Amino acid sequence: MISTTPDYAITIGGLGPSQTYQFWVYALDAAGNRSPASPSLRLTMPPGDDQPPTAPSALTTTTIGADSVTLRWQPSVDNVYVAWYEVLRVDPDGSTTPVATAPQHPPTGPTARVGALRPQTAYTFVVRAHDDAGNTSPPSEPLTVRTLPAAPVCEVSYQVVNHWPGALQAQLTIHNAGPAVIDGWTLRWTFPGDQQISHLWGAEPVDLIPPDITVTNTPWNSRIPASGSVQLGFVLRYSADNTPPTDFLLNGDRCTSSG
């Protein structure tokens, strides 16, 4: 490294503990002419902190969601102090990816939240500790966590609007409870009884053979804005059992339902 100073003294940083360095001094004039080098000075830096923290232990979860988990562990021990913790995701091939940190200045405690996860997916995590000297602990024992299913982003209400012997007129309202527009939709449900659809409007038929019914959007109601709704209706005929359906899937995702 080369350092310059207009004075007769200089402080040189970035040196490593227990490392040996050799220094020379040159003088430069205004024209850029350089003097011969001074006699060299050889020195060894005093020992520094070369002891890593112990591995964190007892890694566990405090909360599990559909797209995040909060982890907690028993703190590491260091001969000086632990500066920060690092949470790593262990991938199927054994490689690791840093996904969260827990700085200890100011102290945040031995806990960290990992976000941007996929619902109903298993993840494996380890934690390791770092000190201010750059030493890293061994990783903790791995912990495998499975995220929860995603919350329903749709609601379907089933309403009978007209009724006569052996038949009825029903209306389904699909409500988008999510934050994004639904651009194109397919709705699937199962009739618990012996109902059969004789007329359908507000949707295109995909499979109307009971008990499993599948319909899709028409060209004019394919988009359901956030907090918006679309409706479809049909005439049912039945002979014995007219139990209303309660289990609806919109684009493969289960919706909450009301009747």
Side-chain angles (χ1 to χ4, degrees):
M1 71 177 65
I2 298 177
S3 300
T4 61
T5 177
D7 302 316
Y8 303 110
I10 192 170
T11 299
I12 300 175
L15 306 180
S18 303
Q19 300 296 309
T20 299
Y21 298 91
Q22 193 167 4
F23 299 95
W24 295 266
V25 177
Y26 300 91
L28 295 171
D29 63 18
N33 300 306
R34 189 173 69 176
S35 74
S38 70
S40 66
L41 172 66
R42 183 181 179 88
L43 59 86
T44 300
M45 300 297 292
D49 178 10
D50 58 0
Q51 180 176 329
T54 62
S57 60
L59 179 60
T60 188
T61 58
T62 57
T63 59
I64 302 175
D67 60 358
S68 67
V69 297
T70 300
L71 304 174
R72 190 170 184 86
W73 55 89
Q74 289 299 311
S76 300
V77 176
D78 189 61
N79 61 321
V80 181
Y81 56 79
V82 173
W84 58 290
Y85 292 96
E86 180 181 32
V87 180
L88 302 113
R89 185 188 69 231
V90 182
D91 297 319
D93 61 1
S95 62
T96 57
T97 303
V99 291
T101 59
Q104 300 301 292
H105 307 305
T108 59
T111 183
R113 178 183 179 275
V114 181
L117 304 179
R118 294 187 300 272
Q120 285 188 293
T121 303
Y123 293 91
T124 299
F125 301 102
V126 296
V127 179
R128 60 187 182 186
H130 299 260
D131 64 20
D132 271 342
N135 301 305
T136 303
S137 78
S140 68
E141 290 295 319
L143 173 71
T144 299
V145 183
R146 187 172 184 85
T147 52
L148 299 179
V153 296
C154 55
E155 301 171 357
V156 176
S157 65
Y158 177 89
Q159 181 182 8
V160 176
V161 296
N162 202 356
H163 201 179
W164 54 94
L168 60 85
Q169 177 185 339
Q171 177 177 282
L172 289 181
T173 301
I174 305 171
H175 177 68
N176 179 6
V181 172
I182 297 174
D183 192 359
W185 52 268
T186 297
L187 184 67
R188 184 177 184 272
W189 72 90
T190 300
F191 280 126
D194 60 359
Q195 303 100 320
Q196 294 188 7
I197 294 178
S198 60
H199 296 85
L200 172 71
W201 56 92
E204 299 288 346
V206 176
D207 184 359
L208 298 185
I209 300 176
D212 298 324
I213 304 299
T214 304
V215 299
T216 191
N217 59 265
T218 66
W220 50 267
N221 67 358
S222 61
R223 291 173 59 86
I224 311 177
S227 301
S229 300
V230 297
Q231 292 180 334
L232 60 115
F234 44 80
V235 172
L236 290 181
R237 300 189 182 280
Y238 64 95
S239 58
D241 189 348
N242 186 34
T243 303
T246 58
D247 192 18
F248 297 91
L249 297 176
L250 186 71
N251 293 342
D253 295 325
R254 182 160 277 104
C255 302
T256 58
S257 62
S258 60

